[in-house]
Amino acid sequence: MCPHVPFLERWNRPLVPAKRKDVDRMKITLKDGSVKEVNKGISVLELAKEISEGLARNATCAKVNGEVKDLRYNIKEDSEVEILTFDNSEDGKKAYWHTTSHIMAQAIKRIYGNDAKLTIGPAIANGFYYDFDVKENISSDDFEKIEAEMKKIIKEDLPIERYSLPRDEAIKFMKEQGEDYKVELIEELPEGEEISFYKQGEFTDLCAGPHLMSTGKVKAVKILSSSGAYWRGDEHNKMLQRFYGISYPKASQLEEYLNMLEEAKKRDHKKLGKELELFMIAPEGPGFPFFLPKGMVLRNVLEDFWRDIHRKNGYVEIKTPMILNEELWHRSGHWDHYKENMYTTKIDGIDYGIKPMNCPGGMLVYKSKMHSYKDLPIRAGELGLVHRHEKSGELNGLFRVRCFTQDDAHIFCLPEQIEEEISRIIKLVDEVYSIFGFEYTLELSTRPDDSMGSDEQWEMAEGALKKVLKDLNMPYELNEGDGAFYGPKIDFHIKDSLGREWQCGTIQLDFQMPERFDLTYIGEDGEKHRPVMLHRVIFGSIERFIGVLIENYAGAFPTWLAPVQVKVLPIADAHVEYANEVKARLEDVGIRVEVDDRNEKIGYKIREAQLQKIPYMLVLGDKEKEAGAVGVRSRKDGDIGAMPIDEFIAKVVEEIDTFAK
């Protein structure tokens, strides 16, 4: 007995059971590989606090065993956990933006009441939107008033609570609120699925989350624009009003983003495409772009570059028809999985499909002759024009069109060649993007719900892609369930000069098409075997890639890409003859050149050439004519001064040959 503690006091102490590690404690593996032992049932937020107070302050949600979860989520077993913030992950941003969409919806409901009915309000790639069925259209003049109410809600720092209701109670609750669209959404949820709500103050919304812990966690907000949007994207449904917005943890981040938007407006490819006479879209063909002479030069340069680099990498080029009969599209699976996006026609009373993809035609090319294992791999490239039915409200310049040219290639290989071929493609994509100065990230998309093929084939395909990425030491994001219906894929997201990301290149591993088209080769054993097929694009769509290039360079293309590389500017009529001689010299070595022989002042001609974003202007007067030289002005460096014509030609040719940026 301890002599310092009275017996009765010791006797009356409550008994504290010893901790049972196997019941009350669990192990959490963090992203850096470290392991923490914590109490079972700990919330994500409590775990973040145990790691660091700073992390807990900045946390927006978490990944628990690969699934995005609320900070409220209680972890009940050994798990892998990654705490997400606005700055360290896209999912972290989305939780932040999704919460802000609810704040905007609450503000609009406070101002307009039942004259604004709720529909949906997700986070998107850059910010969020919320769709409302409004009694009267809300003007952009009202944005300031809505933003002021949003800031008030943020200042109130309302706790955000999550709860669930049984199906009948959820429907009853939303009917009482007069939210008919929410009732429709609940009624379509599968039986037994949890119906969750998030509440902040007087505002409650049907939502799966995740969300921040309170409205006060959001800092800087801005409503960007509004537009029309059909309910559920169906043009037969009611037109709603969609409000787009953005938010950031810091006012400086918001200001930086708004400045980027202003710069993006100046770079808008639709505006520059018209000013630089590159392309047009006529009302007679919405979604079907016309390429003008200068645009065709740019396009042809890109296609020539594509052909040259593919020839050097062991590709052959093919061309397949745009229209093929319905039976082919049934065989490929497109009729069942893609028919709503296809254009169809009848020929001789038989249904035909206008191709939305090039791959079925590539199958027929492979089947046109017998192949030996010695022939493989076969790398067949195609600049193939495809047509897809896009809704009119989704059309957007060259970014979203109804006909476009895919820089497709289909690689038929032996199973043991899969990893080598994927590796070759990744290296080729890297080479192409580096020439344009693009950085990129990778995303691996896995088996979707509507997939074809066996579990074994999908596991093998996904495993092969993961192994190559690991062997090349290339980090990637995992996008569960977003693969093509015939196979998993790697997507390349390029980053432009404004930091915006564009999905362009892709690699898809396909065990299904060779099966459906009964593709074979004769193996070493003299028997027939099934080849494996890889689909891949680098530009993705020539049209869309041109749109990206226009905005990336703000129309000021590097010399090798510029439709007009040199503009010759004679000062007076007496210098026009010499200007034409210079033009001929440049054309002899393949430089694209124009002469501005208008009866205008030289200053005006220079300004015009600058507006057309010509890389080089050659000013020719008496001194240049007598010396056989040219006065060089560079778009990038300004007035360079007089230069012998041969020296100038060598300079430009080197820029073209080295793809100088």
Side-chain angles (χ1 to χ4, degrees):
M1 273 189 196
C2 177
H4 305 295
V5 181
F7 172 77
L8 284 176
E9 186 178 335
R10 294 199 306 275
W11 180 260
N12 291 327
R13 274 187 193 150
L15 292 173
V16 179
K19 288 182 178 176
R20 291 175 55 195
K21 292 185 179 180
D22 59 327
V23 174
D24 302 319
R25 304 285 278 177
M26 61 184 177
K27 291 180 179 178
I28 300 296
T29 305
L30 301 175
K31 187 181 180 183
D32 63 3
S34 63
V35 177
K36 283 188 73 71
E37 193 172 296
V38 296
N39 290 333
K40 282 190 176 181
I42 191 172
S43 73
V44 170
L45 182 60
E46 289 168 336
L47 174 64
K49 285 179 180 176
E50 288 204 11
I51 297 169
S52 89
E53 286 294 333
L55 180 62
R57 278 195 304 274
N58 294 319
T60 60
C61 60
K63 273 190 179 176
V64 180
N65 297 324
E67 292 185 17
V68 180
K69 298 290 185 183
D70 243 18
L71 294 174
R72 302 160 187 78
Y73 179 75
N74 298 111
I75 309 166
K76 297 175 181 176
E77 60 186 8
D78 292 353
S79 301
E80 293 182 0
V81 179
E82 180 184 355
I83 308 295
L84 306 181
T85 69
F86 184 93
D87 293 321
N88 75 5
S89 85
E90 291 304 310
D91 287 317
K93 282 187 175 73
K94 286 181 178 178
Y96 194 95
W97 286 334
H98 195 178
T99 299
T100 318
S101 80
H102 279 215
I103 293 171
M104 181 173 70
Q106 184 177 12
I108 288 174
K109 290 293 286 186
R110 280 186 177 183
I111 296 167
Y112 299 99
N114 288 332
D115 287 347
K117 292 188 180 293
L118 302 170
T119 64
I120 58 170
I124 52 177
N126 285 296
F128 56 89
Y129 69 78
Y130 210 113
D131 289 347
F132 287 87
D133 182 355
V134 290
K135 194 170 185 180
E136 291 183 15
N137 201 56
I138 297 172
S139 162
S140 58
D141 294 338
D142 297 317
F143 288 180
E144 193 174 332
K145 177 170 62 176
I146 298 169
E147 282 175 15
E149 192 63 40
M150 290 175 71
K151 290 171 184 175
K152 183 180 173 185
I153 292 166
I154 290 167
K155 192 173 181 180
E156 290 170 12
D157 195 17
L158 302 171
I160 300 174
E161 305 164 37
R162 186 185 195 275
Y163 67 92
S164 300
L165 288 175
R167 186 187 191 84
D168 291 345
E169 289 182 33
I171 291 171
K172 181 184 176 187
F173 173 68
M174 278 302 172
K175 280 183 176 177
E176 289 171 351
Q177 303 300 310
E179 301 295 355
D180 303 332
Y181 294 93
K182 298 293 183 180
V183 171
E184 182 180 329
L185 291 171
I186 295 169
E187 288 176 337
E188 292 181 0
L189 290 173
E191 288 289 342
E193 185 164 319
E194 183 189 26
I195 301 172
S196 58
F197 294 84
Y198 281 83
K199 181 180 186 299
Q200 53 197 55
E202 81 289 351
F203 177 80
T204 302
D205 201 353
L206 172 74
C207 188
H211 283 283
L212 306 181
M213 298 301 289
S214 73
T215 60
K217 294 293 183 182
V218 175
K219 301 303 178 186
V221 298
K222 183 74 178 174
I223 299 175
L224 299 173
S225 63
S226 70
S227 67
Y230 293 109
W231 169 233
R232 312 193 102 167
D234 187 336
E235 57 201 66
H236 300 104
N237 288 338
K238 187 168 184 179
M239 176 69 79
L240 308 171
Q241 188 169 3
R242 174 171 294 177
F243 297 89
Y244 289 96
I246 191 75
S247 61
Y248 283 93
K250 296 177 184 175
S252 59
Q253 291 173 304
L254 176 60
E255 185 179 357
E256 186 180 331
Y257 180 77
L258 296 177
N259 289 338
M260 186 276 288
L261 286 185
E262 284 303 309
E263 181 62 26
K265 283 180 187 176
K266 298 174 191 173
R267 294 166 178 255
D268 187 319
H269 77 285
K270 299 185 290 296
K271 171 177 169 285
L272 289 173
K274 183 177 182 180
E275 291 173 359
L276 301 178
E277 300 178 0
L278 300 173
F279 73 93
M280 59 176 265
I281 295 179
E284 293 84 353
F288 298 97
F290 290 68
F291 277 84
L292 305 177
K294 289 178 181 176
M296 277 306 298
V297 172
L298 173 59
R299 184 186 181 110
N300 287 335
V301 170
L302 280 174
E303 292 187 2
D304 289 345
F305 165 75
W306 183 91
R307 288 190 169 97
D308 185 56
I309 202 165
H310 280 76
R311 185 170 55 252
K312 290 173 181 174
N313 279 272
Y315 286 76
V316 294
E317 187 175 1
I318 62 172
K319 191 78 173 172
T320 62
M322 276 202 303
I323 301 177
L324 295 162
N325 70 28
E326 179 189 333
E327 186 279 328
L328 175 87
W329 302 108
H330 278 294
R331 212 186 324 166
S332 69
H334 288 91
W335 201 266
D336 297 325
H337 294 268
Y338 211 77
K339 185 185 175 185
E340 69 277 5
N341 292 100
M342 291 177 63
Y343 295 110
T344 58
T345 187
K346 278 189 181 290
I347 302 174
D348 298 333
I350 299 171
D351 287 325
Y352 279 73
I354 300 171
K355 68 176 179 180
M357 297 174 186
N358 297 305
C359 31
M363 306 297 106
L364 299 184
V365 171
Y366 181 90
K367 273 182 76 78
S368 66
K369 61 180 283 190
M370 181 58 72
H371 296 282
S372 158
Y373 71 95
K374 293 181 180 178
D375 300 328
L376 304 184
I378 294 171
R379 306 182 189 102
E382 176 176 13
L383 292 170
L385 182 64
V386 299
H387 289 72
R388 298 180 185 177
H389 177 58
E390 302 287 355
K391 292 170 183 172
S392 58
E394 296 175 344
L395 300 176
N396 179 15
L398 297 179
F399 290 159
R400 198 71 177 263
V401 292
R402 287 172 168 158
C403 72
F404 56 93
T405 301
Q406 282 190 311
D407 66 315
D408 252 324
H410 298 105
I411 294 137
F412 304 92
C413 62
L414 307 174
E416 59 266 30
Q417 294 171 333
I418 291 173
E419 292 176 16
E420 171 62 23
E421 288 304 307
I422 296 170
S423 180
R424 285 176 64 101
I425 295 169
I426 292 174
K427 289 172 183 174
L428 176 59
V429 173
D430 183 76
E431 181 182 358
V432 171
Y433 288 169
S434 66
I435 285 170
F436 292 96
F438 288 131
E439 296 178 357
Y440 61 89
T441 56
L442 299 174
E443 181 179 69
L444 174 61
S445 298
T446 57
R447 186 176 189 173
D449 292 335
D450 64 342
S451 63
M452 301 188 306
S454 68
D455 292 346
E456 183 183 4
Q457 287 174 324
W458 276 87
E459 286 170 15
M460 188 187 304
E462 290 176 8
L465 294 180
K466 288 176 181 175
K467 185 175 185 304
V468 172
L469 291 173
K470 183 180 179 183
D471 290 346
L472 292 175
N473 196 27
M474 302 193 78
Y476 63 90
E477 287 285 325
L478 190 62
N479 188 6
E480 295 279 4
D482 201 39
F485 65 84
Y486 47 78
K489 61 177 182 170
I490 298 170
D491 287 329
F492 295 78
H493 297 265
I494 62 175
K495 189 173 286 189
D496 71 9
S497 57
L498 293 182
R500 299 172 300 177
E501 289 194 349
W502 309 89
Q503 195 273 304
C504 291
T506 188
I507 303 170
Q508 298 168 354
L509 180 50
D510 186 357
F511 290 95
Q512 311 309 322
M513 290 282 180
E515 190 78 36
R516 284 186 164 238
F517 282 84
D518 192 26
L519 303 188
T520 60
Y521 65 90
I522 304 300
E524 287 186 79
D525 57 3
E527 299 295 323
K528 287 185 177 181
H529 298 272
R530 191 80 67 207
V532 178
M533 181 179 176
L534 294 165
H535 309 246
R536 52 110 288 207
V537 294
I538 299 177
F539 295 149
S541 148
I542 296 284
E543 289 76 5
R544 187 166 183 265
F545 197 74
I546 287 173
V548 172
L549 291 179
I550 292 170
E551 298 204 359
N552 180 62
Y553 296 121
F557 300 107
T559 305
W560 74 276
L561 272 177
V564 178
Q565 295 164 324
V566 178
K567 194 86 159 185
V568 182
L569 309 176
I571 292 174
D573 288 346
H575 310 120
V576 170
E577 183 179 351
Y578 179 54
N580 286 322
E581 290 174 13
V582 170
K583 176 176 182 279
R585 290 281 305 277
L586 298 176
E587 286 179 332
D588 283 346
V589 294
I591 296 172
R592 297 185 290 276
V593 57
E594 289 180 349
V595 173
D596 184 352
D597 58 4
R598 294 174 299 167
N599 188 21
E600 298 285 357
K601 291 181 178 179
I602 192 64
Y604 178 81
K605 290 182 180 182
I606 290 171
R607 285 193 299 276
E608 286 276 291
Q610 287 172 331
L611 287 173
Q612 292 170 20
K613 303 181 187 288
I614 311 292
Y616 287 102
M617 292 148 271
L618 301 184
V619 179
L620 306 184
D622 290 335
K623 286 193 300 182
E624 288 78 20
K625 182 178 178 181
E626 289 169 12
V630 289
V632 182
R633 290 186 67 90
S634 163
R635 180 185 64 202
K636 190 162 49 175
D637 301 320
D639 189 357
I640 295 175
M643 187 181 291
I645 189 166
D646 288 338
E647 185 180 330
F648 174 73
I649 287 173
K651 174 181 171 60
V652 174
V653 168
E654 183 184 8
E655 284 188 25
I656 295 168
D657 289 347
T658 59
F659 306 111
K661 299 176 183 68

